[in-house]
Structures are given as C-alpha cells and as structure tokens.
Amino acid sequence: MRVRKLEKKRGWAFTVAASILKPTLIAATSRTWIDGEKIPATGGCIVVVNHISHVDPLLSAHFVFDHGRLPRYLAKSGLFRNRYLGGFLGSAGQIPVERLTAGAVGAYDAAVAAIEAGECVVVYPEGTLTRDPDLWPMRGKSGAARLALATGAPVIPVGQWGAQRLLPPYSVRPDLFPRKHITMKAADPVPLADLLAVEATPAVVQQATDRIMAAIVAVVEELRGEKAPVERFDPSAAGVNVIGNPNKRARRKDQQ
C-alpha cells in the first residue's frame, strides 16, 4: 500500500494524536488496507464504516489518515465536557453530538458545514456498536443518508474486520498478544444520484440508508468470506437497549 500525502496541514491536535496513536496501533496490529485510494483525495466526502469495537475510531482514523485525509467524527458530547479532552477534540475538528436530544440537530448542521467546507466526515451508520450476535452490520440509522442528500457529497463505504479481536465489543481490556490483524477495504461511492434529484422525503432517506448499509455489508461479506443474514438485526424490533451493555445477552464472534 502506498501512503497518500495529506491534502492539508494537520494542525497540532492531529500531530499529537498521530505521533502517539499511530505508533501504538502499528505495534499492536498488523494491517491490510485495501482500495483506500477510493476515498477522494480532496473535497467533502462521507466515509461510512461498520462498527464492531470501541477501538474502531482509532483504526478507521489510521486508514483514512494513511490515504491522505484528516478524519472528522461525530463524537459523544460527554467527551467534550472534560476540559483537556474536550479542548483536544475541538482542536482536532471533532463534532460533539448530544444523543437523543434536540442538540443532535446542531451536530447535523456542523457535519453538513464540515462536508461543504471540503472535510472528510466519518460516520458509523448503525449509530452504535452492532448488537447482531455474529457482529454483522445492523439496520442503519438515517444520519449518513441525510448528510449525503443534503450535501451531494460522495459516500464511500468501508468494511472492516479484526478489531473485535483486539478489543471485543464492550470490553475494557484490549487483547494485545499475539498481535491482531486488521483488514479494512473501501469500495466505490454508493450510487445516490437518482435520489439527489428528488425531494428528500422519509421514503427517499430510507432508500438511501438501505443502499449505504447494503454497500457496507457487501464489503464485510467479502472480508469475512461469508454471507450476511438476509434480514439485518434491528435493535428496536428485538427490544434491545442500544445504550446499555448487551454482553450477557449476545453470542458474539469476538475471537474469530
């Protein structure tokens, strides 16, 4: 893999993060990056990724960073309440999200503004770690689709596998030995041109969401060498609390 030169100066926060986190990830993992050049080198874009571990943001940032972009995330607002961490995240251009409150609208507006300013925004369309017992992507939420329809920016699906071995879902202790292998693969932009030409009704937003999730699932199937369930896991229909820890209820492929 040839690392692409960054498209813009990274600033002090990214410099500090890269100098600390990247060597740590390199020491803790081996990596296969596939087709990362499909992430646009410049201009606003939305990178959508399946979510299987709390370490995902670090790994996807590594992937995006290695392909020349500075990733911006929608991060839980609670992280910004710490004086030092909040200052660091803000300096790195991350966007606070007030989950399940009217404040989420502000995060959406900030994400739209970032994309329109030419930034690369990384989104986990499932909204949280997957609750699927076998770690397949769940039913998606509408955030990524609404951003795409509002901005017209390309949506780049990325599938990943291996992070669950490094830090199993809802675990607090990473499993560092032996070194874990992480695979991430980008695919072609999700085809949304026909939906951009019509009003973004709830039905249109759902179509866009379904296409985004189908594109992510296709990449994950390729990486895992398996077929995903026909019906994606729906936490609401299953009565699963997406805020809590489902460890005691789920059979997971943590160590595969």
Side-chain angles (χ1 to χ4, degrees), residues 225-237:
E226 303 175 70
K227 293 296 292 182
V230 175
E231 294 292 331
R232 279 189 275 283
F233 187 81
D234 184 346
S236 298

Side-chain angles (χ1 to χ4, degrees), residues 25-121:
L25 291 173
I26 289 173
T29 65
S30 58
R31 295 150 308 284
T32 298
W33 292 165
I34 305 171
D35 293 339
E37 66 277 2
K38 291 186 176 182
I39 300 173
T42 60
C45 64
I46 304 164
V47 173
V48 290
V49 193
N50 61 307
H51 203 357
I52 55 177
S53 169
H54 282 310
V55 78
D56 289 348
L58 299 181
L59 294 170
S60 58
H62 192 179
F63 181 71
V64 171
F65 186 86
D66 274 356
H67 291 92
R69 300 304 302 265
L70 297 178
R72 293 190 65 179
Y73 289 90
L74 279 69
K76 293 179 181 179
S77 61
L79 298 175
F80 289 78
R81 296 190 183 106
N82 179 285
R83 177 182 176 184
Y84 301 104
L85 179 59
F88 176 82
L89 292 172
S91 296
Q94 308 314 307
I95 303 168
V97 178
E98 297 282 354
R99 293 184 65 183
L100 306 179
T101 72
V105 175
Y108 169 81
D109 291 341
V112 168
I115 295 165
E116 291 180 340
E119 302 284 354
C120 175
V121 174

